[in-house]
Amino acid sequence: MTQYGFYFDATRCTGCKTCEAACRDYHHLKSGQTYRHVYELEGGDWSQNTDGTWTTNSYTYYTSFACQHCDNPACTHVCPTGAMSKGENGLVDVDKERCIGCGYCAMACPYDNPKVDREAGHSTKCNGCAERVAEGKDPICVEACSMRALELAPVDEIAKKGTQAAIAPLPEPSLTNPNLYIKACHVAQPSGSRDCHVANKSEVK
């Protein structure tokens, strides 16, 4: 099996959220829903110098992520019907016919990706636009990114460009061994850091 994963270049991302909008439109999601989220992280402070002037070390950076299509996906382990599984390309998807909408996957995922659509009666999530990938196309979020900050490719390729996701607000990668590799910007904080906070909580809840 060739494991595919996402690569994210945080040095290029401007936080425009076009990837979110493209995902929402392509998958016909409701307003406010998307499988991909762009988190805005802020931190730093101001200090006054002896001459009365002020100096700041404040910073902002963005982290765009969806399903990490993990090597050890928590969602598949807790699914009681086997509806959540990895395909031949390593992308995790949900079989809507087998899913009973119990929500265990949503509770287990440390990346908060699967969601239960109560009207449809099953879970929904990012599947890496597997149908597009099968046709030789990029996922819609990758295609839409004007800054070319996103890529989906075999893990052995993207691992050469970045390091496994370990920046705030993402959890420690040891939890699920995510297939997300990031080229971090110089102000990026490590997973678990309390020196920064999510500035757009209302958008990514």
Side-chain angles (χ1 to χ4, degrees):
M1 179 183 76
T2 299
Q3 175 67 59
Y4 275 72
F6 280 107
Y7 168 72
F8 171 61
D9 187 343
T11 69
R12 299 180 67 88
C13 181
T14 62
C16 70
K17 303 180 180 65
T18 301
C19 56
E20 285 188 8
C23 175
R24 183 182 304 113
D25 290 348
Y26 179 75
H27 293 287
H28 307 291
L29 301 178
K30 300 174 184 177
S31 176
Q33 289 183 319
T34 181
Y35 298 148
R36 176 169 288 279
H37 291 293
V38 178
Y39 280 68
E40 299 176 16
L41 283 299
E42 294 182 352
D45 55 20
W46 292 77
S47 60
Q48 188 171 24
N49 304 312
T50 55
D51 62 359
T53 60
W54 290 80
T55 300
T56 181
N57 62 357
S58 61
Y59 59 85
T60 298
Y61 68 94
Y62 305 97
T63 303
S64 175
F65 65 94
C67 176
Q68 317 298 17
H69 305 287
C70 308
D71 284 343
N72 185 30
C75 59
T76 65
H77 295 321
V78 300
C79 180
T81 66
M84 198 74 70
S85 62
K86 289 171 70 73
E88 292 183 359
N89 53 13
L91 300 177
V92 179
D93 201 358
V94 56
D95 184 337
K96 297 174 182 178
E97 299 301 319
R98 299 179 67 177
C99 180
I100 59 176
C102 66
Y104 288 165
C105 57
M107 291 185 282
C109 177
Y111 300 100
D112 197 32
N113 193 254
K115 302 291 185 184
V116 179
D117 185 330
R118 295 301 180 189
E119 292 183 10
H122 58 72
S123 291
T124 61
K125 64 178 294 297
C126 162
N127 68 348
C129 288
E131 68 286 351
R132 290 176 58 88
V133 174
E135 296 174 357
K137 300 177 182 178
D138 286 327
I140 199 68
C141 58
V142 174
E143 183 178 283
C145 180
S146 61
M147 298 303 293
R148 300 297 181 258
L150 287 170
E151 182 181 347
L152 182 81
V155 168
D156 58 356
E157 295 180 17
I158 59 175
K160 299 174 184 177
K161 300 181 179 183
T163 55
Q164 196 174 36
I167 66 173
L170 303 174
E172 288 291 337
S174 59
L175 289 175
T176 60
N177 197 22
N179 287 299
L180 169 66
Y181 286 78
I182 295 177
K183 179 181 179 181
C185 55
H186 72 284
V187 296
Q189 302 298 301
S191 294
S193 173
R194 296 190 177 184
D195 293 331
C196 61
H197 67 275
V198 177
N200 62 331
K201 287 184 178 179
S202 61
E203 291 181 350
V204 297
K205 62 182 180 179

